[in-house]
């Protein structure tokens, strides 16, 4: 799994590539949280468009970041277009808490 | 040079309970299932279900300690049966464990959705477990795609 | 959340002696070896060596009958050890069997180059066999590539 | 593995794609021999450029076709550019009997 981050205004945009499972979500969590807290950021946009696999460990990762954002009165959004990943997000009930967008621009516009 | 042409196949994989082997287990089951000529959706379903069961063996069964995870797969016509087994901690209350959102490890950011995912993505799910003996997760799925091949 | 970070890993694969499983066995060993960050050449080497040993188990060990082929792989630092075993016919004269171009099945268009390929592509090759008990082929290879990773 | 054949003058051009092992070489053998004998052909050109795997079963396949061609006073040539496949061909001693070319045109020119 590859992870790249970019900061645009008070949005931390996290792009995940490859496979997000328990093994890789532990790595992802550490990297995301370090950047988020060190740079005192507010909102997170998770770009999952280049993920080709995600299981329920990915759901746990998103839930954890959701809580961190909530604690700072920030907001988390997801950019995802892969139907298999959207299916898991839906099944997990996450979509009641977090919105999915097709592009980063739409996620920023909110 | 007579080749057995019936559509039965079997494999058994054992590996160490390292989290880096989660993706390995997915690749192996997907490669084995490829002879069923699966759709992308069917392949995604079984990779996800296997990933959930193997992850559970590693983090709940062995609690990150060293142990062996066993994955068996059998193809019989267009049905794939998968068994994922560990010889770890076991589950005290299987019904409770299988409830959506229940997790015994919320501190590890588990979502409690593992069994729900397996149930949704496979046609059948059966869990056997004995405390301090281990856990056996049996799943099966019928592949629609095989008929396209004939 | 302590993960064993030492570079040791182990897997064991059992499958039916069907010739369609030859490619499956290659994929599994290649996927397992991928954690050694192999070059394309190293990957090609082990896939070819595994293919030779597994094919031999199927056509010579079981002579196309049904049996189980076992492939074990162990990673220890940058060394990969592979064992391919069958419980079939066995080899009477191992030295003769290992000679280049020797084959007991020229009618099947065998080239007699299987053991030569294994020897050339791996760093070490050892064959143990007992008539009517089976054959065990042990191979190892040291991967140059791992150092690039650090 | 995929196999396609094309006939140009008295050359039967056989293109192999994918992986040539014991399993697939049995299929390949049957297909090649059927065409070759049914159409009373003379020479064979084996195009291995799109093979991404070959083990010693492939060597056996080529040897067998070599013998068939010899029996008819025909000729067999190989078109191959993959270094891993060429390595096995070389190791097997086949190159003493059969020539390797980079393109089909060169193989026809001989
Ligand atoms: N192989 C196992 N060994 C021991 N306990 C398990 C095993 N698999 C699941 N469990 C128990 O069942 C619970 C629910 O599992 P699951 O639905 O996959 O959610 P999660 O893995 O997110 O906790 C786990 O939290 C754990 O307590
Ligand atoms: N697993 C095995 N069981 C029994 N005999 C074997 C086995 N592997 C190899 N042999 C014997 O060794 C000979 C040489 O093997 P090899 O060099 O791989 O060439 P080939 O497979 O082309 O015959 C075979 O023809 C066979 O007689």
């Amino acid at each position: 799994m590859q992870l790249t981050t970019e900061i645009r205004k008070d949005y931390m945009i996290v792009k995940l590539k490859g496979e997000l499972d328990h093994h890789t979500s532990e790595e992802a969590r550490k990297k995301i949280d370090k950047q988020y807290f060190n740079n005192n950021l507010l909102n997170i946009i998770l770009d999952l468009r280049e993920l080709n696999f995600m299981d329920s460990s990915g759901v746990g990762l998103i839930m954890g970041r959701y809580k961190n954002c909530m604690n700072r009165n920030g907001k988390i959004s997801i950019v995802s277009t892969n139907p298999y990943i959207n299916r898991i997000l839906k099944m997990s009930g996450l979509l009641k808490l977090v919105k999915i967008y097709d592009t980063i621009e739409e996620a920023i516009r909110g | 040079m007579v080749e057995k042409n019936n559509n039965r196949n079997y494999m058994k994989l054992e590996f160490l309970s390292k989290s880096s082997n989660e993706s390995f287990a997915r690749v192996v089951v997907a490669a084995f299932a490829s002879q069923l000529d699966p759709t992308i959706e069917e392949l995604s379903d079984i990779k996800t279900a296997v990933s959930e069961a193997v992850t559970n063996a590693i983090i709940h069964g062995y609690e990150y300690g060293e142990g062996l995870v066993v994955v068996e797969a059998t193809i019989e016509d267009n049905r794939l049966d998968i068994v994922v087994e560990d010889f770890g901690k076991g589950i005290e209350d299987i019904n409770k464990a299988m409830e959506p959102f229940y997790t015994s490890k919320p501190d590890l950011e588990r979502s409690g959705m593992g069994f729900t995912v397996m149930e949704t993505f496979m046609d059948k799910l059966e869990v056997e477990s004995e405390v301090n003996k281990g856990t056996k997760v049996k799943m099966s799925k019928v592949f629609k795609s095989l008929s396209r091949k004939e």
Side-chain angles (χ1 to χ4, degrees), chain A residues 32-41 65 68 72:
Chain A
I32 295 170
D33 287 358
K34 200 176 151 192
Q35 282 249 11
Y36 183 72
F37 291 111
N38 285 0
N39 297 309
N40 231 322
L41 296 170
R65 286 344 100 219
N68 290 346
R72 297 204 152 185

Side-chain angles (χ1 to χ4, degrees), chain A residues 19 21-24 26 29 33 53-57 59-61 63-65 84 87-88 91-93, chain B residues 19-20 22-23 26 40-41 44-45 47-48 51-52 55 59 64 101 109-111 113-114 117 120-121:
Chain A
E19 312 209 320
D21 61 8
H22 158 247
H23 182 70
T24 55
E26 293 200 349
R29 180 172 50 77
D33 287 358
F53 178 82
M54 188 181 106
D55 65 14
S56 77
S57 301
V59 172
L61 177 80
M63 289 291 270
R65 286 344 100 219
Y84 306 112
R87 198 166 52 141
I88 286 224
M91 189 189 311
S92 68
Chain B
S19 68
S20 58
E22 291 157 8
S23 59
R26 290 196 298 272
I40 301 178
E41 176 163 1
S44 165
D45 288 351
K47 281 172 89 164
T48 314
S51 197
E52 300 292 350
T55 301
I59 62 180
Y64 291 93
F101 305 112
E109 302 203 334
R110 303 303 303 161
S111 64
M113 290 302 294
V117 166
T120 311
F121 288 175

Side-chain angles (χ1 to χ4, degrees), chain B residues 30-108:
Chain B
F32 188 71
S34 70
Q35 58 195 293
L36 285 167
D37 194 18
T39 61
I40 301 178
E41 176 163 1
E42 288 167 331
L43 215 49
S44 165
D45 288 351
I46 58 156
K47 281 172 89 164
T48 314
V50 165
S51 197
E52 300 292 350
V54 167
T55 301
N56 280 352
I58 294 170
I59 62 180
H60 302 302
Y62 295 115
E63 298 190 294
Y64 291 93
E66 187 156 314
L68 279 178
V69 181
V70 180
V71 177
E72 277 178 284
T74 310
I75 286 172
E76 195 93 52
D77 298 321
N78 60 342
R79 201 180 77 238
L80 175 67
D81 290 304
I82 300 174
V83 180
V84 177
E85 190 171 10
D86 68 65
F87 311 94
K89 205 184 164 217
I91 304 176
E92 221 162 288
D93 184 341
I94 295 181
N95 286 327
K96 192 168 122 198
M98 291 180 76
E99 278 173 18
F101 305 112
Y102 171 79
T103 178
S104 56
K105 296 228 188 306
D107 47 311
L108 295 186

Side-chain angles (χ1 to χ4, degrees), chain A residues 63-101:
Chain A
M63 289 291 270
R65 286 344 100 219
Y66 168 79
K67 286 178 196 160
N68 290 346
C69 285
M70 286 299 107
N71 286 340
R72 297 204 152 185
N73 288 315
K75 178 175 110 164
I76 186 164
S77 348
I78 295 174
V79 179
S80 170
T81 49
N82 179 323
Y84 306 112
I85 286 172
N86 292 355
R87 198 166 52 141
I88 286 224
L89 294 174
K90 200 169 175 181
M91 189 189 311
S92 68
L94 252 179
L95 299 195
K96 287 174 203 141
L97 309 172
V98 183
K99 264 201 172 168
I100 295 195
Y101 299 91

Side-chain angles (χ1 to χ4, degrees), chain B residues 49 52-53 56-57 60 82-86 89-99 114-119 122 124-131 134-140:
Chain B
E52 300 292 350
N56 280 352
H60 302 302
I82 300 174
V83 180
V84 177
E85 190 171 10
D86 68 65
K89 205 184 164 217
I91 304 176
E92 221 162 288
D93 184 341
I94 295 181
N95 286 327
K96 192 168 122 198
M98 291 180 76
E99 278 173 18
F115 280 129
T116 309
V117 166
M118 294 180 237
E119 237 168 350
M122 301 295 283
K124 229 176 90 182
L125 172 68
E126 236 179 273
V127 183
E128 294 168 13
S129 189
E130 212 177 312
V131 173
T135 300
K136 201 174 192 166
V137 175
K138 298 178 178 181
M139 311 183 266
S140 25

